[in-house]
Amino acid sequence: MSIKKFINKKSKAYQAWLSYEKLSDNYLNKNEELLSNISVYGKTNLSASIKEELKRALPKFLAADFKLNFKDRYQNKILIAAETEVKEIAAGSKEISSILNNVEFGELDEEGYLIKYFKEQDLLLLTAASDQGLLYGVFALLREIQQENDLLELDLLSNPKNNLRMLNHWDNLDGSIERGYAGKSIFYKDNQLVNDLKRIRDYARMLASIGINALSINNVNVSYQETRLIDDKIEMVITIADILRDYGITTYLSANYASPMQLSSIDTADPLDEKVRLWWKEKTAEIYDEIPDFGGFVVKADSEGRPGPFTYGRSHADGANMMAEALEPHGGLLIWRCFVYNCQQDWRDKETDRARAAYDNFKDLDGQFKENVLLQIKNGPMDFQVREPITPLFGAMPETNQVLELQVTQEYTGQQKDLCYLIPQWKKVTDFDTYAEGENTPVKRIVDGSTYNQKNTGFAAVVNVGNDQNWTGHHLAQANLYGYGRLAWNPDLSAVKITEEWIKITFGQDQEVMESLLRMLLYSWSIYEDYTSPLGIGWMVNPGHHYGVNVNGYEYSRWGTYHRADHEGIGVDRSVATGTGYAGQYFKENAEKYETIENCPDELLLFFHHVPYTHELDSGKTVIQHIYDSHFRGVAAVKELQGHWEKLEEKVDSEIFENVNKRLKMQLDNAVEWRDQVNTYFHRISGIDDKFDRKIY
Amino acid sequence: MSIKKFINKKSKAYQAWLSYEKLSDNYLNKNEELLSNISVYGKTNLSASIKEELKRALPKFLAADFKLNFKDRYQNKILIAAETEVKEIAAGSKEISSILNNVEFGELDEEGYLIKYFKEQDLLLLTAASDQGLLYGVFALLREIQQENDLLELDLLSNPKNNLRMLNHWDNLDGSIERGYAGKSIFYKDNQLVNDLKRIRDYARMLASIGINALSINNVNVSYQETRLIDDKIEMVITIADILRDYGITTYLSANYASPMQLSSIDTADPLDEKVRLWWKEKTAEIYDEIPDFGGFVVKADSEGRPGPFTYGRSHADGANMMAEALEPHGGLLIWRCFVYNCQQDWRDKETDRARAAYDNFKDLDGQFKENVLLQIKNGPMDFQVREPITPLFGAMPETNQVLELQVTQEYTGQQKDLCYLIPQWKKVTDFDTYAEGENTPVKRIVDGSTYNQKNTGFAAVVNVGNDQNWTGHHLAQANLYGYGRLAWNPDLSAVKITEEWIKITFGQDQEVMESLLRMLLYSWSIYEDYTSPLGIGWMVNPGHHYGVNVNGYEYSRWGTYHRADHEGIGVDRSVATGTGYAGQYFKENAEKYETIENCPDELLLFFHHVPYTHELDSGKTVIQHIYDSHFRGVAAVKELQGHWEKLEEKVDSEIFENVNKRLKMQLDNAVEWRDQVNTYFHRISGIDDKFDRKIY
């Protein structure tokens, strides 16, 4: 029995950061004339989406009964037109012609936009090289307006830093979502498309508003039904692609590496087998016949039980190139995940180190991949833990396209019950200096293609969206989705800037709301880390579903995930000198930093070293005292989160208030359980008392 | 998709201990004439079953082409007839008349039998007070024959010590079996009866052969479908009861305490509510209309989430008596389980002690239960662990009928992958001196009704049978079923006697087979204990399914199941002086024994006390060294089991050989994992090295 969900599309929770609230009287007085006189050029579907969005937004900004009429002549206050059209208008207008020299068309990339106010002409120009750029520009302009920024000061040229700005859906056709914490799929139900296509369209709007341009629409673990998406179920893909296309989003599919074996009579998936190669070529051509702008495939191969080229004694380059070759004539991309490791490890084996796996499996293949192959690499070497080092593979393959994979869905970070705003974590990742080309080669300059002059690079992330009313389960988890998009567009944006932007366009201008939410969001990752696993050691979660504490949950398992705590100390020795050698996978500066206990930053100490509980951290505390202190502090901080939120009851939408309020209660329960189990475990095993004699059970 | 199982009913594995193998020439020469001349009296269905069994057995004993013709006159060598019939025959026969004075009819209970050879008359008489007694006698006689015991020496009067000799099926109507390790249900599939009713009949034969006289045929956790067995699905019960009746087995049902709420419009299950009482009376009368010899109900109430009288502020006596009252006019029994404890415990709480629960919940209700209420009490206070003390409630309720509950299905004892022969464990239970009426008041004298002059008492056990070819998954697990029945009939039988009997009638007379199997079976419990949780502490299993090691699996849970290991010591203090007081629930002699570390037997030390790893056991070893030694020893012993078995390859049926061989391999894997995880865990937490410097990871 399935309970039919009632979705109220007018609720603020559903509208997310696109609810377009009425502007303040003050701001309106100043800008009403400007905002009431807009002309939009363009005849593409994207232009239609732009107009639709403006028609949705402006009446709400200005007043309930306002009706937007687009003027088709340039004399209006706001002109929205692509470069070609601006130049056409200029030909017949001295006024427009007079500004042309001051418009930096040459600096606009394919997807970039320019928003600029010309005082003399009293004209706000939004232009771009393409309608797609215009679409992003319109959402940027609406964002500026909702924040009540001064439009007359606008001079904003923005190009995306990354060509690929992708989200991965781990949705299955039966409607379930692997690692989904916000209800069921918004795409599928009972192996069919959902009835509510309008919701998919609203989702596309949200994504376009933050600059997402690529979406893979099914789980990377591709099962029987999902494999059929490139076969007799392709109608489903066509329908979704049609919707996404209107918002500049390219559709990708996760492909089953063994598809020919399921879908044809071929009994192998050997990448060097001619029958297999031909099958993929023909199959791919069929897809492009139906969806000419199809993006390509995402592939998880030879990973956690998925089929792959290893079965046939072939390399990952063989496997990826074979599929890339089929996509090449159509301009498609082949995105190959590097999450390949031995998941049948013996806990007794201290030589094998899962952290080494991506580097060990891929580094030597540099230069062997085709131009349209992109390697998608998780931010950390393990699996989206609350704290991990950065994967050393970034920057280590100069001749290979690299994509950074993040996880917006909060698998190990509270599952959208606990508040854990991840932008600060991601900033650490993107700003991490790999030293690949000497100092100042951060990850973001690898995956934006600038270091090695590549174009098929960028960001990908597993999304946190389901069919809950508010899309993300925890309302504040919307900020992770928003922030991911903004960061993928421009990783140089600061966490504070992104967060302030999201708060303003979601909750408005109130100063107390701003201050409380800024504090809640920006500290939440650190709070979550405080009450969960300490000093970079990770795991300690319940096996399988990964929510809640279980200190030994992964200690005697086959997953390569150990803390090695004994009565004297804890941590995994990954040094070159005495450990697994993982530290040596980094470029020299980082390798030296991680190699020794002295140089290794505390926050990753237990990831790289096994140390006694009595080891003194940089903070002056011992490891054991740090464990106790951080866990008591973490719970106290969750109570403070509750305090902050409760004070906002009168100031935020009641549905959102209740949603967050309930989840903060769950978070407190979770934090208390983490605190008590972790403290008790380490008190029992170390025999060392808390300096402050607090309650440890 | 369900895979249809092919069951070969002629295989030895299926025939179990009733395969009736050809006797040795030597034995045949001596007994062929006797065995070829049998007359059987009686016209009941039970008599028909007797004749059927003889027709099955004797031709196989004697030769393949032998055809048994029952003589209808007493002059035969073997006379099988109930007391009344023997006396009728005697009236017309001097020969029979001449033995009457030497037949102890007066000592035969309702279900007992007498097998006696009269030399002068060259007559083997099998008689009983009832056809049910005759049936048991026939199976006893066949057992004697298969063992090739001297028939001319037979003078065997046997009455069952326990009136109730019950097995509980935890079968669900969908065909699944809770804690079942031998396939699916032999009764149900897809909420219907299975097609193979013949198999149920074969099962009834097996049970009759070991004296079982009561069977509850559905899971004590009674769900929606199963609740309907007393309503619109009663036809299923009628069919099963009809089969079981032919073998003297009374059918019981597990009843949902809240049945009136599911099956009628009554919105309460309050036992003092008149509507509820009336509903049960009418419902019960309906059942007896259909099944006049229906046995009664087994009830799990207020336990692990099941409904019960506590919901209405009533006592267990109120609840049980209400249902017993409905059964009373029909002679039915109400069997009420005492497995009632708080399963929402906080691991931080060291006051609450699950071990206390049965005693605390039931002791004070003594004298309040109706005559036809039986309290079914698990052997230990926790839950069928490999080693537990005996539940102190036995003997503590002189005015209440008590039934001992054992677990034949190996939930915590290897799940029929690992060999764990439980008769030695059960003997410990039945022989445990409660001191209820001074020295020598063992559990077996409580539950056989002799101590307090009760008739509604006995044995119950959760059975280990499913639709695997060999019934029990592991072929040698058949011995647990066999032994349970024999022990329920007569708890004074020795483990060796029962085991030898089973080996002979299952595997024949070979001396090497006998010696190897005796050793394997009799040591297997101790071996299993060696490599699993030490010194009575229990648990340390994987949560949920309960197979395999997980030292902390139940340590931070809500189930009241803790080892409290820290870096100095391990164990739960259940003394009166400083612990939970559980030890004080025993009668004085036992209470004093368990109260102190000095007096408490080592095998239960950690159940009753928290001691340092350096505590010296009676064996002279420290606790930690005992942990290491027993775990290394346990694995070595499993290898020895393999060695014993491999030597029997040519001597046992190949299907059985392969079955056991495969499972011994699984057992070794399991034992190695237990050894390494337990040793590593305690080495890490204690920091104390193994004296013999063996490999600890």
Side-chain angles (χ1 to χ4, degrees), chain A residues 347-348 350 552 555-556 563-567 672-673 676-677 680-681 684-687 697, chain B residues 347-348 350 552 555-556 563-567 672-673 676-677 680-681 684-687 697:
Chain A
W347 60 268
R348 301 165 188 80
K350 288 177 185 164
N552 274 3
E555 188 58 14
Y556 296 93
H563 56 62
R564 311 281 192 206
D566 62 19
H567 116 85
V672 166
E673 198 61 30
D676 290 345
Q677 287 200 31
T680 298
Y681 183 92
R684 285 188 184 184
I685 200 169
S686 72
Y697 294 89
Chain B
W347 60 269
R348 301 165 187 82
K350 289 176 185 163
N552 274 4
E555 188 58 15
Y556 295 93
H563 57 62
R564 309 283 191 205
D566 62 19
H567 115 84
V672 166
E673 198 61 31
D676 290 345
Q677 287 200 30
T680 299
Y681 184 93
R684 285 188 183 184
I685 200 168
S686 72
Y697 295 87

Side-chain angles (χ1 to χ4, degrees), chain A residues 390-428:
Chain A
I390 312 306
T391 303
L393 197 57
F394 288 113
M397 301 178 74
E399 297 180 61
T400 306
N401 302 315
Q402 296 194 327
V403 172
L404 167 65
E405 177 174 333
L406 300 169
Q407 196 182 40
V408 186
T409 194
Q410 292 170 240
E411 178 177 357
Y412 295 96
T413 50
Q415 304 200 348
Q416 285 134 259
K417 292 190 182 98
D418 298 29
L419 179 64
C420 190
Y421 181 58
L422 292 164
I423 311 305
Q425 189 201 48
W426 299 336
K427 287 291 291 182
K428 277 229 152 204

